[in-house]
Amino acid sequence: MMFDAIIVLGGGINSDSSIPKIVKKRVDTAVKLYKKRIAPRIIMSGKWSINTTKIFPLTEAEAMEKYAVSRGVSRDDILTEKESRDTLGNAYFTKITFLNPAKWKNVVVVTTDFHVQRTRFLFKKVCGDSYKIKFVSVPSGFSAEKIKSEK
């Protein structure tokens, strides 16, 4: 195992508590990495977007966990961070809830191409230089112009 954990960032939840296609791509990528045994566990990170006013039966992390289990990941190998409501929160709550207590310093963070620049900046700020963080960018299918407008 090269890394302590794979961290998947939430990116929305549907009204039926399923995850949108773009989030499924993130989870699918994490599942592939997990099945290649690059890390023994996956951390799903996210409550709901800061822009969400509705209370859902599941958090984004729980919905991503449910999807990952349906893709063959053992529930025992999934941790859920259920407090964050934005990217800064993903970094902070993952660090204080899981990384620091377990002394995990080598992680992979999975997000979408238009989100990776902000994610890299915030995770490096929150975690600092003592962490080895690899960022995996999942293709959104958006044009370059659309990606620029999403940053």
Side-chain angles (χ1 to χ4, degrees):
M1 305 270 169
M2 297 177 2
F3 295 92
D4 298 309
I6 302 162
I7 302 166
V8 185
L9 305 190
I13 191 164
N14 297 321
S15 59
D16 66 354
S17 293
S18 65
I19 53 175
K21 182 179 174 185
I22 204 156
V23 179
K24 283 182 180 178
K25 287 181 178 182
R26 293 178 185 183
V27 175
D28 286 338
T29 298
V31 168
K32 285 178 190 166
L33 295 171
Y34 167 85
K35 287 182 176 180
K36 287 182 180 177
R37 303 182 57 77
I38 70 146
R41 67 196 55 86
I42 302 173
I43 302 171
M44 303 300 184
S45 179
K47 184 174 186 172
W48 305 296
S49 166
I50 200 161
N51 299 318
T52 300
T53 55
K54 180 182 177 187
I55 304 298
F56 292 93
L58 297 177
T59 63
E60 291 178 13
E62 291 166 327
M64 291 189 300
E65 174 189 37
K66 186 176 174 182
Y67 179 71
V69 168
S70 79
R71 308 291 290 165
V73 177
S74 169
R75 191 174 303 277
D76 293 341
D77 293 341
I78 302 173
L79 303 168
T80 54
E81 179 285 299
K82 301 180 279 193
E83 297 298 321
S84 61
R85 300 204 57 200
D86 57 21
T87 311
L88 179 59
N90 292 137
Y92 174 76
F93 288 111
T94 299
K95 180 182 177 186
I96 67 164
T97 306
F98 299 113
L99 305 184
N100 281 356
K103 296 182 174 39
W104 295 333
K105 296 286 188 173
N106 300 310
V107 297
V108 176
V109 178
V110 179
T111 192
T112 312
D113 52 11
F114 61 80
H115 190 235
V116 77
Q117 186 176 6
R118 175 177 49 212
T119 301
R120 180 180 287 115
F121 175 79
L122 291 171
F123 267 78
K124 287 187 175 203
K125 280 289 188 195
V126 168
C127 293
D129 293 336
S130 64
Y131 287 79
K132 177 185 171 195
I133 307 172
K134 176 182 170 93
F135 297 89
V136 175
S137 174
V138 177
S140 62
F142 294 166
S143 67
E145 294 77 28
K146 175 73 173 165
I147 290 172
K148 282 182 184 178
S149 73
E150 293 288 328
K151 287 185 180 178

